[in-house]
Amino acid sequence: MVVLKTDREIAKMKDAGRIASMALKLAGDAVEPGISTLEIDGIVRKYIESEGALPSFLNYGGFPASACISVNNVVIHGIPSETCIIKNGDIVSVDVGAFFEGFHGDNAATFACGDISQEARALIDATRESLYEGINAALAGGRIGDIASAVQRYVEARSYSVVRDFVGHGVGAKLHEDPSVPNYGMAGRGVRLLPGMTIAIEPMVNMGTHEVKVLDDEWTTVTADGKLSAHFEHTIAITSDGPIILTQCDGAID
């Protein structure tokens, strides 16, 4: 069941989104050669808790950390570790959520460590832009498929693929709510977009095949062919005046 939010509830979600977006920025600022993903996770947790919020992901479904940190061919749900040391040329996807005064904010971005290849840079740029293509299609009166189709068209026109086994989702008092928000599909299909809906749009884009596999830890998800993957996400609200990005604030990522 899709839960529509009041203006007051959307304002609360924007507060949660501000915390999540600043935590994500701090994580990105920390990406440099020699740092471990566990150290970055500590930065995220410290900031979120300093704002009087809780990390949305910590112990969610048994996940053992405050952020998902996924390096190179890891698509999503990378578990931070002191032995995972980031190197020059890596790309690092960080997914962060914050729970504040009853609501969640959820966002993600992929960051470059030092000098990355032109191919990696192009993948990151295309994934970021596909997110905004999806956001621009999130108009009241439209359908979820409008978002999905906009993302898919942009990505596939650049010869990348969108992950199909994992999708975006509603966000609110629960981290994951209805509806599901795929990154592929047909315009004009799916759930109607109504004012008051709050959803996370999150393209996960692979350089090669769209197929992925989950490792034995039951979290870490990698590309099936070992090629690079990038991930961007914003939580947005559907309004009669167009979509509003809730995970955005001064100094945070675009």
Side-chain angles (χ1 to χ4, degrees):
M1 181 182 71
V2 174
V3 180
L4 300 181
K5 313 302 189 299
T6 65
D7 290 346
R8 181 173 177 273
E9 289 171 331
I10 290 173
K12 284 181 172 287
M13 287 190 65
K14 195 167 186 178
D15 289 336
R18 173 189 59 80
I19 296 169
S21 66
M22 284 305 300
L24 182 61
K25 179 184 184 299
L26 290 172
D29 290 346
V31 170
E32 60 182 17
I35 194 169
S36 73
T37 55
L38 187 63
E39 289 176 277
I40 296 175
D41 183 73
I43 291 168
V44 166
R45 181 173 182 175
K46 181 178 179 180
Y47 174 75
I48 291 173
E49 292 179 344
S50 75
E51 290 291 309
L54 297 173
S56 298
F57 301 166
L58 185 61
N59 300 318
Y60 183 80
F63 190 75
S66 298
C68 300
I69 306 179
S70 306
V71 181
N72 294 332
N73 69 316
V74 181
V75 181
I76 51 173
H77 300 162
I79 299 174
S81 167
E82 63 183 355
T83 61
C84 183
I85 307 298
I86 295 171
K87 306 182 300 298
N88 182 65
D90 286 343
I91 65 172
V92 183
S93 298
V94 183
D95 192 352
V96 174
F99 183 68
F100 183 68
E101 294 188 351
F103 291 94
H104 293 273
D106 188 6
N107 60 176
T110 300
F111 303 97
C113 181
D115 300 318
I116 64 173
S117 67
Q118 290 183 349
E119 293 80 6
R121 173 59 64 190
L123 174 67
I124 290 174
D125 290 345
T127 306
R128 181 192 301 107
E129 290 306 312
S130 75
L131 168 60
Y132 288 99
E133 291 289 315
I135 292 172
N136 290 337
L139 302 176
R143 301 276 185 174
I144 285 289
D146 300 343
I147 300 170
S149 176
V151 172
Q152 183 179 17
R153 286 198 313 270
Y154 189 90
V155 168
E156 293 183 351
R158 287 151 182 80
S159 300
Y160 302 122
S161 61
V162 291
V163 171
R164 296 173 177 237
D165 289 0
F166 296 89
V167 299
H169 51 91
V171 186
K174 295 180 180 178
L175 180 59
H176 292 92
E177 298 182 348
D178 290 333
S180 294
V181 186
N183 297 303
Y184 64 96
M186 295 182 64
R189 302 284 183 88
V191 173
R192 180 78 66 186
L193 299 173
L194 300 174
M197 289 177 64
T198 49
I199 58 176
I201 302 174
E202 53 176 321
M204 293 152 271
V205 177
N206 294 349
M207 190 171 285
T209 178
H210 69 82
E211 295 180 352
V212 300
K213 58 184 178 181
V214 180
L215 301 186
D216 290 343
D217 62 21
E218 299 183 348
W219 285 106
T220 307
T221 302
V222 302
T223 56
D225 56 10
K227 294 184 178 180
L228 295 178
S229 184
H231 179 202
F232 280 83
E233 175 184 24
H234 271 309
T235 299
I236 70 166
I238 307 296
T239 80
S240 57
D241 297 322
I244 297 174
I245 298 174
L246 302 178
T247 44
Q248 196 171 50
C249 63
D250 292 342
I253 66 161
D254 294 332

